[in-house]
Amino acid sequence: MPRSLPRATVLESLRLASTIARPGVPHLMPGRDPLRSRALLAELESRYGGRPVLVRGRRGPALLVISKRDALRVLSEGGEYAQGVEQRPFGLPTDVLRPTFIEIAREEAGELTSGVVDHDRLNAQWQRVARRCVYGDGAAGDVELTRLLAGLTRAGRWRDRRRQDLLSGRYGARLIDHLRRAEPGSLAGLIAETPGLARSRGLMQAAFWLMGLGVLSPGLMQTLALLAAHPAQRKSARRDADYLRACLREGLRLWPPVPTLSRVTTTRTDWYGTTLPAGTTVLVPVAAHQRSLRLPYANTFAPEVWLDGTAANEWWARPGCDGTHLTLAVGTAFLAGIVRAARPKPVGRLLSPHRPLPYALNLSRLRVTMRPLRIHGAPTPAQN
C-alpha cells in the first residue's frame, strides 16, 4: 500500500465502511444513514488538509476523495477515471425515443391518481414504464424480468458468484426474447436498427437502461411525498414543468439513489506525490457533499436552487449525460401525470416544511393519499 498519502486507521476504515454505502447499495434502507459519516469526513478533512485518504477495503486499498477540487478531477471527462463497463451507455441516439417514453410515463402514471400510494405501488407502475421503454409493450407485465435483475444486483453486491451464475442465465434468456421482438419505439428496436452493434453490447446496453430507469423509483416516491408535504411547491409544480423537474432533482439531492460514486483508475495516477496503480478504486461520497451544512438549503426542500443558478456553482450539480437528461424527462412526465390529475396529501408527519428534513428515509413508511382535483381546466405541466 502506498505510504505517502494519509491512511485511515483500521477503526476509521470500519467506521467509513459502516456509514458510507458502497456503490450499488441503495441508501434507503431501514435504520441506515450514510450521512452519519459527515463528522468523520470533516475530521479527516481537517486532519489531512483536505487530501484524499487511503482506506482499507475487502478488495484492497481505495482512495476516498474529500475535497471539491479532487472530486472535480475524478469526475471530469478525462479517461483516467472510468466507471465500470456495466455502468456506461454506448452512445445510442436515444433522444429520438423521448416523445414515446414520455407518453408511456404519462399513461402509467394515470394508475396512481386515486387511493393511497406507497413505494410498492408506485414502484410497480414505474417498473412497467422502464420495461416498456426498454423492451416495448410486450414486456410491460414481465415482473419476473425486474425481479431477476434485482436478484442479480444483490448477488453481485455480496459477490455471490454461484447465485449470479444461476440468475444470469435465466435473466439473459428472458432479455434475449424481448430484444428479438425489437418493438418500434423501444430501446430494443433502436438497438436492432443500429448497424455494427454486437449482440453482447446490445444486451449490456438494454440491461444498463433497465437498471438506470428502475433506480429512479425511490426518487419519484420521495419527490411525491415532498410535494404532498409542501403545498406551495406543489402548486408551482402543477403549473410549470421546469419547476416540477427541479423538484425531482431536489428530491434526488436530498436522498440520492447512489450516495457514493465510484471510479476505477485506468492508468497510473499521481496524488500529492504518491503514484497509485491502474485499477485503484476511487470513492466520492457525494451524499455528504449534497447535504453539507455549509449549504443554507442543506436540509430543506428548495427546488428554486436548480432554477436560479444557486446549485450551478456546486460540482455535484453539473449537467449529466444524455441518459441522465432523458431519465429526468421521463421521471418528470411520470410525476406530471400524477399531480396534474390529483392532489397528493401526506399520510403522517414524516416530512414537514416546518422542520429540517431527515438524513435518511424508510421508504416503507412513505405514503400519500391521492385526492381528485376539484378545479377543472387548471393549467398542467407541458413536458419539454
Side-chain angles (χ1 to χ4, degrees):
M1 179 182 289
R3 297 185 180 277
S4 297
L5 280 171
R7 293 182 294 167
T9 65
V10 174
L11 179 59
E12 288 170 340
S13 293
L14 289 173
R15 288 174 63 193
L16 286 166
S18 67
T19 56
I20 296 181
R22 299 185 305 280
V25 180
H27 80 298
L28 299 171
M29 297 183 291
R32 179 68 175 267
D33 177 7
L35 298 177
R36 287 180 300 169
S37 61
R38 285 184 303 116
L40 179 55
L41 290 171
E43 180 183 330
L44 293 174
E45 184 175 15
S46 175
R47 183 185 309 165
Y48 301 118
R51 285 184 298 163
V53 179
L54 285 165
V55 298
R56 304 165 190 263
R58 289 185 298 177
R59 301 184 182 182
L63 188 68
L64 177 66
V65 168
I66 299 175
S67 72
K68 171 182 177 179
R69 176 181 60 186
D70 292 330
L72 283 171
R73 171 184 172 182
V74 173
L75 301 177
S76 67
E77 296 301 323
E80 293 183 337
Y81 307 93
Q83 302 178 48
V85 172
E86 72 283 356
Q87 296 175 291
R88 296 199 300 268
F90 299 122
L92 288 173
T94 52
D95 201 56
V96 301
L97 301 174
R98 179 185 294 246
T100 301
F101 285 9
I102 284 174
E103 185 57 34
I104 288 172
R106 286 173 172 164
E107 288 177 8
E108 296 293 344
E111 298 297 320
L112 300 175
T113 57
S114 63
V116 175
V117 175
D118 59 10
H119 180 251
D120 286 344
R121 184 180 172 192
L122 181 143
N123 181 60
Q125 287 303 126
W126 178 250
Q127 297 303 333
R128 283 178 57 90
V129 172
R131 292 191 297 268
R132 289 179 65 187
C133 289
V134 176
Y135 299 113
D137 292 345
D142 193 354
V143 178
E144 180 67 7
L145 183 71
T146 301
R147 192 188 69 80
L148 287 171
L149 179 58
L152 271 171
T153 302
R154 285 193 298 270
R157 185 184 308 154
W158 298 110
R159 295 188 290 178
D160 187 343
R161 178 60 63 181
R162 181 178 178 182
R163 184 158 181 80
Q164 273 186 293
D165 292 342
L166 174 65
L167 294 177
S168 62
R170 294 163 58 189
Y171 175 70
R174 298 182 83 92
L175 190 151
I176 290 171
D177 287 342
H178 288 307
L179 280 177
R180 282 174 177 164
R181 289 199 320 275
E183 289 189 27
S186 71
L187 185 76
L190 184 62
I191 289 173
E193 295 170 0
T194 303
L197 185 63
R199 176 177 172 179
S200 60
R201 289 174 69 85
L203 289 171
M204 292 178 68
Q205 178 76 105
F208 168 85
W209 271 98
L210 189 63
M211 185 181 301
L213 284 168
V215 79
L216 189 64
S217 172
L220 294 168
M221 187 65 219
Q222 292 157 193
T223 305
L224 186 61
L226 285 165
L227 291 172
H230 295 77
Q233 287 89 338
R234 181 177 68 239
K235 291 177 182 177
S236 297
R238 287 194 63 247
R239 293 191 298 264
D240 185 346
D242 289 335
Y243 191 88
L244 180 56
R245 178 188 173 97
C247 289
L248 176 55
R249 297 194 71 182
E250 181 69 350
L252 295 171
R253 176 190 73 84
L254 289 163
W255 303 287
V258 183
T260 304
L261 300 179
S262 175
R263 297 292 185 268
V264 178
T265 58
T266 60
T267 185
R268 296 172 64 185
T269 56
D270 181 76
W271 286 91
Y272 298 89
T274 296
T275 300
L276 298 180
T280 300
T281 298
V282 183
L283 302 174
V284 183
V286 65
H289 288 273
Q290 293 180 171
R291 296 288 289 270
S292 170
L293 293 181
R294 70 175 179 79
L295 301 174
Y297 53 87
N299 300 320
T300 61
F301 182 48
E304 295 79 10
V305 303
W306 298 95
L307 300 171
D308 62 12
T310 301
N313 297 322
E314 303 297 337
W315 62 266
W316 42 262
R318 296 187 309 161
C321 63
D322 291 342
T324 299
H325 289 300
L326 182 56
T327 300
L328 286 173
V330 179
T332 301
F334 186 77
L335 289 172
I338 299 173
V339 300
R340 72 182 178 184
R343 183 174 69 254
K345 302 294 289 184
V347 176
R349 299 176 58 85
L350 190 61
L351 303 177
S352 170
H354 306 300
R355 61 175 182 269
L357 294 169
Y359 285 119
L361 280 180
N362 185 341
L363 278 177
S364 66
R365 295 181 59 194
L366 282 183
R367 288 178 175 81
V368 298
T369 299
M370 305 305 301
R371 297 181 178 176
L373 292 175
R374 296 181 181 275
I375 301 176
H376 299 286
T380 59
Q383 193 64 44
N384 291 331

